[in-house]
Amino acid sequence: MAFRPTTTHPNPAIAARSALFAISIPLRRALASLAGAFLVVALAVTTSATAQETAPVPPLPIPSPEDSFSQAPAPAGAPGVPPAPQPEDAPEPSLDFLLNSPTMTPLPRDALPYAPAATPQTGKPGDPSETTLYMMARLTDNGPLIDNGLVWRVYSQTINDEGHLDLIAKSKGGDAEFQLDPGTYLVYTAYGHAGVTTKVTVARGQTSKTVVFNAGGIKLNGVVSKTVPLDIAKVRFDIYEMDFNTRGERKLVARNVLPGKIVPLNAGTYHVVSRYGRVNATVRADIKVEAGKLTEATIYHNAAEVTLKLVNEFGGEAIANTAWSVLTASGDSVVEGNGAFPSYVLTAGKYTVVARNQGRLFSREFEVKPGRNAEVEVRTKDGNAAGLALDTD
């Protein structure tokens, strides 16, 4: 909007200055108002920034896997604490923690150490007025409660028409709570390869029982010739019970156990079979597992890995499409295979290898020495001549 002066000065220059002054009055007022608003906004921003610097919001803690065993969980239903998820397959807890933690005063078998957790069936805490069975477990009488990795199964005491016990309820994780009708039940609790069956009578109200496994752990490793470590990809352990059944066989407890893996077991003596490779490098040992202790056992193998090659000249290229047979010194078959250079782990001793290629047979004798991997070359020009065993280490 243009501003028009109400009077006209006789001097044109003075009149122009007066008009310019009059125009600048509202402009100055607008600028002053704008500056004031800017100052208010700046003060608000500064105040907000200052408040954040003086009172920062702490980040939420991120628990590590170890914290789940060293810190007590937040109580269910606490303000700001979301319900913990219940995985289908809970991770196996640290057996080292359970075996090495300070001893604890054992609780009475019918005592509740804290409020029951959510029930596996309903996800809600049990009503004390109803019939509730609350189960806990320890490795030993004085050990800490196991808070993960347990499998609970509740069976009826009577046998059904099919000759089996009816499965009433099951749960995974740590302690378990079941809503059951009054009566007597058989509760099977498993932790790794340790297991125990408990007979429980449930009455009106709440019944609490603590299961004690009387278990320990075993950790197995293998070496060659007492000094050379084995290739863990080629070593597996099978664990059996000591007693034989009517067919003269031992009951298998754990199969294909990896070296260095801790296996929970009931206290007792076990028959361990260590397999290095897939042929004849097998060692057996009886190992005792004590309750509340971790037993570490190292099994020694007198064996080595050999690679078979059919060549025209020693050190030459392996000939493809070759069939192989490895025999003991007495002529018993050990292993057969096909390929240009198959590899086998064999126990120490003397052997004969036979190579078949294009209808022709070639053989030689060789010796396996503990811990000395080697290439066994059979030369076509020599026929049945004894070739060389070249160390590959």
Side-chain angles (χ1 to χ4, degrees):
M1 172 178 146
F3 179 82
R4 293 184 298 176
T6 56
T7 58
T8 302
H9 200 281
N11 189 331
I14 295 176
R17 286 198 300 272
S18 298
L20 182 61
F21 177 80
I23 294 172
S24 64
I25 290 175
L27 182 60
R28 286 201 302 271
R29 290 175 179 172
L31 290 175
S33 177
L34 182 62
F38 177 80
L39 179 61
V40 171
V41 174
L43 288 174
V45 173
T46 304
T47 303
S48 176
T50 304
Q52 290 180 2
E53 292 175 359
T54 56
V57 179
L60 293 176
I62 301 176
S64 64
E66 290 79 7
D67 293 337
S68 61
F69 302 106
S70 59
Q71 298 178 3
V81 179
Q86 297 295 327
E88 180 65 21
D89 292 317
E92 184 175 304
S94 170
L95 188 62
D96 282 326
F97 169 80
L98 295 172
L99 294 176
N100 299 323
S101 60
T103 57
M104 303 171 61
T105 302
L107 294 171
R109 293 301 176 87
D110 56 353
L112 290 177
Y114 49 86
T119 63
Q121 293 84 358
T122 65
K124 300 179 181 179
D127 185 351
S129 64
E130 297 179 354
T131 304
T132 303
L133 173 62
Y134 186 62
M135 301 291 297
M136 302 161 286
R138 304 175 188 269
L139 278 181
T140 60
D141 278 323
N142 297 333
L145 290 172
I146 303 174
D147 61 0
N148 218 334
L150 293 169
V151 178
W152 303 86
R153 291 185 176 91
V154 181
Y155 294 90
S156 64
Q157 189 182 17
T158 58
I159 300 176
N160 58 25
D161 296 337
E162 299 178 355
H164 302 289
L165 298 175
D166 289 325
L167 177 62
I168 305 300
K170 63 180 179 179
S171 176
K172 294 182 180 181
D175 52 273
E177 183 180 348
F178 303 99
Q179 302 297 320
L180 303 171
D181 293 330
T184 301
Y185 299 89
L186 297 177
V187 180
Y188 178 76
T189 313
Y191 175 61
H193 294 281
V196 61
T197 301
T198 308
K199 186 177 181 179
V200 180
T201 299
V202 179
R204 287 293 178 188
Q206 192 170 72
T207 302
S208 174
K209 292 293 181 182
T210 300
V211 173
V212 178
F213 281 98
N214 191 33
I218 188 172
K219 183 166 71 172
L220 302 168
N221 284 291
V223 297
V224 175
S225 189
K226 300 184 179 181
T227 56
V228 182
L230 297 178
D231 182 357
I232 61 174
K234 296 183 174 67
V235 182
R236 293 293 184 272
F237 301 94
D238 295 334
I239 303 175
Y240 295 85
E241 292 183 353
M242 291 295 296
D243 296 334
F244 293 92
N245 58 20
T246 55
R247 295 180 296 179
E249 299 175 349
R250 288 187 169 100
K251 180 181 178 181
L252 178 66
V253 177
R255 181 186 296 276
N256 293 330
V257 177
L258 295 173
K261 178 179 174 61
I262 298 176
V263 182
L265 294 169
N266 290 330
T269 303
Y270 295 87
H271 185 73
V272 177
V273 178
S274 176
R275 294 177 284 108
Y276 180 30
R278 299 183 178 181
V279 185
N280 64 346
T282 301
V283 177
R284 299 172 179 269
D286 296 335
I287 301 174
K288 184 178 181 180
V289 176
E290 298 183 35
K293 295 183 180 180
L294 176 62
T295 301
E296 299 189 52
T298 299
I299 297 179
Y300 298 97
H301 279 270
N302 290 323
E305 185 173 5
V306 297
T307 301
L308 307 178
K309 297 174 64 177
L310 179 64
V311 297
N312 292 321
E313 297 290 344
F314 291 130
E317 185 176 354
I319 300 175
N321 300 321
T322 302
W324 299 91
S325 296
V326 178
L327 310 174
T328 64
S330 59
D332 297 327
S333 176
V334 177
V335 64
E336 295 184 352
N338 294 275
F341 31 82
S343 295
Y344 305 104
V345 176
L346 301 175
T347 192
K350 294 183 178 181
Y351 297 88
T352 298
V353 58
V354 178
R356 298 182 296 276
N357 184 272
Q358 296 184 353
R360 301 175 61 192
L361 296 178
F362 311 93
S363 67
R364 57 152 293 183
E365 297 178 351
F366 67 97
E367 182 176 3
V368 175
K369 297 181 179 180
R372 296 183 61 180
N373 298 340
E375 289 185 351
V376 177
E377 295 187 339
V378 179
R379 194 167 70 165
T380 58
K381 293 183 178 180
D382 292 339
N384 293 336
L388 300 177
L390 305 177
D391 288 346
T392 59
D393 289 343

